[in-house]
Amino acid sequence: MTVNTEPEALLSHLQSADGSATFSYAGYTVIGAVNGPIEVQRRDELPEEAAVDVIVRPAAGVGGTRERHLESLIQSTLRQIILVNNFPRTLIQVILQVTTAPENEYVNAKVVQAGSNLSILPALLQTAVLALLSAALPLTATLSSTSLAFVADGQSKRIVLNPSPREIETSESFHVFSFTSHDELILVESEGNFTIKEWDDAFAAAQGQCCQPTAENDGDTPMDDGNSAGVNLKQFTRSILQEKIASDLHWK
């Protein structure tokens, strides 16, 4: 399977949803649909804000504990950027369907191991944000997410951005970072063994991909020189929205 080294996105292509988006990057393709604000069941109703419901559907098989964990992470993150106080006693529903995953992500309709749970999280978050923007829901900020791993390279370690499932399996540690459009860290999840210095290097590498260009890293931990290292996800989100607005406002 050919892994797309440049992100791709399509907005508002599902007619039955208030907002929709398809996002493809680093071997993953996710379709997202957003409906809301809509009527909420009385048992889930919140008197002063909207309830946010996230549903993750895997590319193969049925959802399990892996998807429930991802749903919890995504819901807590989205609640920080959606203006939920504007829509009390309503529901905002986000459905994320994984359609493509790296080849060894699923074996016989089951995930290879629980340790790779976080690898798809950046694609899910990016799809959810694009779908929310497509639905014209008010947000305090947008999000950009990325993942990276520390892979042993002889006596040293190197950072690999958007690692493959095989690289994650053999890595010393794996990290997922999400930043707002204000360049603020909003989510970080880490697995494995790592030092404070390595975490700082991981933060700087993720910030360079998700945020506007900043001061160069001190170079203590070398970056992998793959094509994905140069992708500016913040600029990508902005350009996708600009294209969508230009298309909507185009008069013939």
Side-chain angles (χ1 to χ4, degrees), residues 72-128:
S72 175
L73 293 174
I74 296 169
Q75 183 200 43
S76 62
T77 303
L78 295 182
R79 286 190 63 84
Q80 298 180 64
I81 64 170
I82 300 174
L83 294 176
V84 292
N85 293 329
N86 289 11
F87 309 103
R89 303 179 186 274
T90 61
L91 173 68
I92 298 173
Q93 186 179 63
V94 181
I95 302 175
L96 301 169
Q97 172 68 61
V98 183
T99 59
T100 305
E103 291 181 358
N104 62 334
E105 181 75 355
Y106 289 88
V107 176
N108 296 327
K110 295 183 179 179
V111 295
V112 175
Q113 59 175 8
S116 62
N117 283 3
L118 298 177
S119 59
I120 196 174
L121 183 56
L124 292 171
L125 282 170
Q126 206 72 39
T127 306

Side-chain angles (χ1 to χ4, degrees), residues 83-212:
L83 294 176
V84 292
N85 293 329
N86 289 11
F87 309 103
R89 303 179 186 274
T90 61
L91 173 68
I92 298 173
Q93 186 179 63
V94 181
I95 302 175
L96 301 169
Q97 172 68 61
V98 183
T99 59
T100 305
E103 291 181 358
N104 62 334
E105 181 75 355
Y106 289 88
V107 176
N108 296 327
K110 295 183 179 179
V111 295
V112 175
Q113 59 175 8
S116 62
N117 283 3
L118 298 177
S119 59
I120 196 174
L121 183 56
L124 292 171
L125 282 170
Q126 206 72 39
T127 306
V129 170
L130 290 173
L132 288 169
L133 291 170
S134 172
L137 284 169
L139 308 177
T140 60
T142 59
L143 291 182
S144 297
S145 305
T146 191
S147 63
L148 54 88
F150 280 88
V151 178
D153 187 8
Q155 298 297 322
S156 61
K157 300 178 184 178
R158 62 187 176 93
I159 295 178
V160 179
L161 285 169
N162 303 302
S164 67
R166 185 66 61 188
E167 289 173 324
I168 296 173
E169 281 188 52
T170 58
S171 65
E172 298 289 332
S173 63
F174 178 68
H175 310 265
V176 173
F177 291 88
S178 290
F179 295 85
T180 69
S181 53
H182 305 306
D183 298 344
E184 297 173 346
L185 182 65
I186 193 173
L187 171 70
V188 57
E189 292 287 327
S190 300
E191 296 176 340
N193 300 318
F194 52 91
T195 65
I196 296 298
K197 179 62 173 66
E198 290 173 347
W199 191 94
D200 289 340
D201 290 341
F203 173 82
Q207 191 177 43
Q209 188 178 36
C210 292
C211 306
Q212 292 292 339

